[in-house]
Amino acid sequence: MPEQPSATPAQKAGSTCVSNVAFQNFPLRYQQRMQEIACHLQERDGLPAGYVISALQNARFNARAVEIMTPSPPSAAPAIPYPWWRYRDRFVQQDRLDRGVQFWRGHAALLQAVSQKYGVPGPILMGILNIETGFGTFLGNFSVLNSNLSLALALPGRRRFFLHQTAETLKLAQRLGVPPGTLQGSPAGAMGMSQFLASSYLRYGVTWNDPPGGPMPNLWRSPADVLASTANFFRGHGWQPGQPVLSQVSGNRGTNVAPFLQGRHPLAQLRAADIRPELPSGLPGSTPVGLLRLQTEHGPTLFIAYPNFYAIMGYNPNTYYSATVWAYAEAIRRIING
């Protein structure tokens, strides 16, 4: 797909795609782009013409999704940093902990079984479900196809990404055996209790304890499928069973930490600079780790981020997000263990 509208017709000479149709649920300014998308889905993604045209003609432009997903314009005034502890506390409130305890009581055996199979602790999986949907209490009511199409049209900088998710949404609907427009989720096109994008659903979604070739996982209604798929996602993003996620640095003796605050470094280099975790990890000195300075209620605080922290970032590349998944998991673990 070109990044800017082409001046040539969408259906070029020799093209085998079907696209010379109207998409009446989309603004006139996007008609040519919709024809290009229709061709792309047929020729690049191998989707049947009749399926593509029917799905796109039944879809509609969602201006609300575009509004939500459009970045705010830069401000002339310097941004006031939002401290991590305030972000964290939004998701580690008592009601969220109570909901987590309730989920644990209802699914303790399942959480243990999934953890044993995939090596991802149950509290970490619960941290994802807590942040994403409050353990399934708010799954989103946006048409995923409408959102992906609208964002592919209206956000040029992310056009390729959302066009890919459009194709994956159509493939997912085929696999699930449902009309594409019935898949619902967030304005960003994420679905189910763990808010998988369509591409993640197809790649990492697993049906708990079913043989290969069995039914597709149900990430909206099956906690077993949701937990197994989320754990499978982590395993696919480098999760290391038995290893820590974060550890606060023990004391601060005036060491110059600035060289370590960008990128990742062998753990031995941090040790040599007298940057040590409060809880020893037992990992080899060659282990690549990061050093984070997060604002807690006690002021700037240093944490060592282990490889599993970056596996969580595969789910969401925001440092605050990954640190909060860990913080929630630690809080739930303390409650469960008494």
Side-chain angles (χ1 to χ4, degrees):
M1 280 291 294
E3 287 303 309
Q4 298 297 328
S6 170
T8 58
Q11 192 165 348
K12 299 178 182 178
S15 172
T16 59
C17 75
V18 176
S19 66
N20 191 24
V21 295
F23 301 95
Q24 296 183 357
N25 296 326
F26 289 82
L28 182 61
R29 66 184 181 278
Y30 292 132
Q31 290 300 307
Q32 181 175 328
R33 175 63 65 184
M34 285 293 294
Q35 292 184 359
E36 292 171 354
I37 288 175
C39 270
H40 183 102
L41 294 170
Q42 293 168 64
E43 296 182 337
R44 301 283 184 88
D45 295 291
L47 291 163
Y51 179 60
V52 168
I53 297 302
S54 175
L56 298 194
Q57 288 190 316
N58 282 290
R60 64 180 56 251
F61 187 78
N62 191 322
R64 178 59 179 157
V66 172
E67 179 185 3
I68 292 172
M69 294 297 295
T70 300
S72 300
S75 173
I80 299 175
Y82 188 71
W84 171 64
W85 69 270
R86 288 191 179 276
Y87 177 96
R88 177 201 65 197
D89 285 0
R90 290 166 49 198
F91 299 102
V92 194
Q93 296 175 8
Q94 190 59 50
D95 65 325
R96 295 225 179 207
L97 293 170
D98 292 343
R99 199 175 293 157
V101 170
Q102 182 180 6
F103 186 86
W104 179 273
R105 288 173 178 165
H107 305 286
L110 174 62
L111 283 158
Q112 184 177 8
V114 171
S115 178
Q116 287 177 344
K117 180 173 181 178
Y118 292 96
V120 183
I124 289 290
L125 300 175
M126 292 170 64
I128 295 292
L129 299 188
N130 167 51
I131 293 179
E132 293 295 343
T133 63
F135 296 94
T137 58
F138 42 91
L139 300 179
N141 56 6
F142 285 77
S143 160
V144 170
L145 179 61
N146 290 352
S147 290
N148 282 321
L149 270 172
S150 302
L151 297 171
L153 292 167
L155 300 183
R158 304 198 67 189
R159 184 165 290 152
R160 292 181 185 277
F161 174 83
F162 286 112
L163 178 56
H164 176 60
Q165 293 306 322
T166 297
E168 297 293 279
T169 299
L170 293 177
K171 293 174 186 177
L172 176 61
Q174 278 187 319
R175 294 280 302 278
L176 291 171
V178 299
T182 63
L183 299 178
Q184 291 197 323
S186 77
M191 292 170 276
M193 289 176 64
S194 51
Q195 292 290 279
F196 269 23
L197 296 171
S199 57
S200 294
Y201 202 130
L202 288 169
R203 184 170 183 179
Y204 299 107
V206 290
T207 304
W208 177 242
N209 280 344
D210 273 6
M216 285 287 287
N218 187 330
L219 301 190
W220 288 271
R221 295 188 178 90
S222 171
D225 291 354
V226 168
L227 291 170
S229 299
T230 306
N232 190 42
F233 181 99
F234 279 132
R235 186 166 69 176
H237 283 76
W239 184 271
Q240 302 297 313
Q243 291 190 13
V245 175
L246 275 181
S247 183
Q248 188 169 325
V249 170
S250 176
N252 188 352
R253 304 179 179 85
T255 302
N256 178 21
V257 300
F260 300 102
L261 291 174
Q262 300 293 328
R264 284 185 257 183
H265 311 270
L267 183 57
Q269 288 188 6
L270 272 69
R271 291 173 182 162
D274 202 25
I275 303 172
R276 301 175 183 273
E278 287 185 342
L279 299 175
S281 66
L283 296 176
S286 59
T287 304
V289 298
L291 186 66
L292 309 179
R293 181 185 280 135
L294 298 175
Q295 188 79 13
T296 71
E297 54 269 64
H298 306 295
T301 306
L302 293 173
F303 292 85
I304 293 177
Y306 296 101
N308 282 345
F309 180 86
Y310 297 97
I312 299 174
M313 287 188 73
Y315 212 95
N316 184 317
N318 186 298
T319 298
Y320 282 14
Y321 179 97
S322 295
T324 300
V325 169
W326 167 81
Y328 185 85
E330 291 296 297
I332 281 290
R333 199 191 320 269
R334 288 191 294 269
I335 293 172
I336 291 168
N337 293 339

